[in-house]
Amino acid sequence: MAGRGDPPEGTPEGLPGGEDEYRSVVFDESFVRAARLQEFSAQERMGEHARAVRSLPAWSRRTGSKQVLVLVLLVAMAFGTAIYLGIRHPYQTPAIKQAEPLRITMIPLAPQRPVPGGTPAELYAHSPAANFRLGASGINLPGARRTKNFSESQVMTALTTAKDYLVESSLDPDVLTGGAVRPVRVLLDPDQLEQFDRSIATPAADGRHAATGWLVRFDPAKVALADTHVRVQGTLRFAEAGPDALEVTSDHTFAYALRPVGVSGPGANQASLFTVRRELHFRFDRDDLHQHRAELLVSYIQAGPQACSADASGTLRPLLAGERATADGPAGTDPYATGQATAALCGSLSPGAQPSP
């Protein structure tokens, strides 16, 4: 039977091996077109001085390879240009703005007469805090609206973070008398943590490192909360501080019912009110908004009843039921002294700010 490539009558005689014998000298079409010499047609050879063959230009065979070479060169040039511009770009990298240190002003309010005592309910009912709300419900958020450079959701994030800071630093019982600081610390910009930690570890009345500038704190060895439901009233406001920052200002008054610790006798269970007004200025850059944290720029505190001579940088020093401020005020300030200026400020607590008899 004939093979798949043989004619029906088989391989012709006289051609040993068939076409396989000439396969090595058969040229395909691409080989013929690529030849340097090409034979003229019969009509072309009839002309005078006609040549039998003509030479094909060398570039016709190398057109494809040249295009590849040009493409490689273009890619290399583009890659090199990109690297050069990445290293030698004409724009300066914007400087990273660090958070400013907190500025603290603490003003003790000295009572003009003995501190009234009673049960927390009686004291609140006969004080200006009678209509204050309880706890976090007294820290109301204003309506958030978009600004020129910040969306409504970003404004709401700033307001919510400021409220969280007020709640943790002014209402958390563990912070008020338990010595806890982490609930407040985690809400601060990392650039301010060193100042915060130093204020907690070694408080000082230098306008920068008072622990009570960051949070409300009482000495648990002397004072306890007679009522964990703190009365609160105040406002929150916001505004842009440039294209990359929002500012929130809080102004709240907190009324605490306190009782003495380690005291026996008839007045041991009597409570008294202690009032703290805190005005805080927060700043939020875009990273702060994303990380749910704040930069605390200004802390202005009025707190009483306290004696003017009391050092309230570490803990607030309330005068409790039946106590009165001593006659001696703060020590005199010497303008010729060198070193850190520590001029004392003190106010007089209005009788109307205390519970009526």
Side-chain angles (χ1 to χ4, degrees), residues 16 18 32 36-37 49 57 76 95 116 143 160 167 169 186 197 219 229 232 237 262-263 277 313 316 341 346:
V32 173
R36 290 292 306 273
L37 297 179
H49 306 297
T160 303
V167 169
S169 64
V186 297
D197 292 341
D219 186 350
H229 298 97
V232 186
R237 302 186 306 274
V263 177
R277 180 179 177 181
S313 59
L316 297 171
C346 188

Side-chain angles (χ1 to χ4, degrees), residues 195-243:
Q195 183 187 9
F196 176 82
D197 292 341
R198 179 179 170 185
S199 301
I200 298 300
T202 55
D206 58 0
R208 287 288 188 272
H209 299 96
T212 47
W214 302 91
L215 45 82
V216 177
R217 171 187 270 185
F218 303 105
D219 186 350
K222 299 179 180 180
V223 176
L225 293 174
D227 184 359
T228 57
H229 298 97
V230 181
R231 269 52 171 184
V232 186
Q233 180 171 283
T235 60
L236 282 167
R237 302 186 306 274
F238 68 90
E240 273 198 14

Side-chain angles (χ1 to χ4, degrees), residues 100-107 195 198-199 202-214 296-301 311-313 340-345:
E100 299 177 13
L102 172 63
R103 304 188 302 275
I104 302 171
T105 302
M106 169 68 69
I107 300 180
Q195 183 187 9
R198 179 179 170 185
S199 301
T202 55
D206 58 0
R208 287 288 188 272
H209 299 96
T212 47
W214 302 91
L296 188 56
L297 302 182
V298 176
S299 178
Y300 180 84
I301 305 101
D311 179 8
S313 59
Q340 178 67 46
T342 57
L345 295 174

Side-chain angles (χ1 to χ4, degrees), residues 58-82:
W59 59 266
S60 64
R61 297 190 307 120
R62 296 196 295 267
T63 300
S65 60
K66 280 189 175 182
Q67 290 177 343
V68 173
L69 179 60
V70 171
L71 180 60
V72 171
L73 289 175
L74 288 175
V75 172
M77 290 176 62
F79 186 70
T81 302

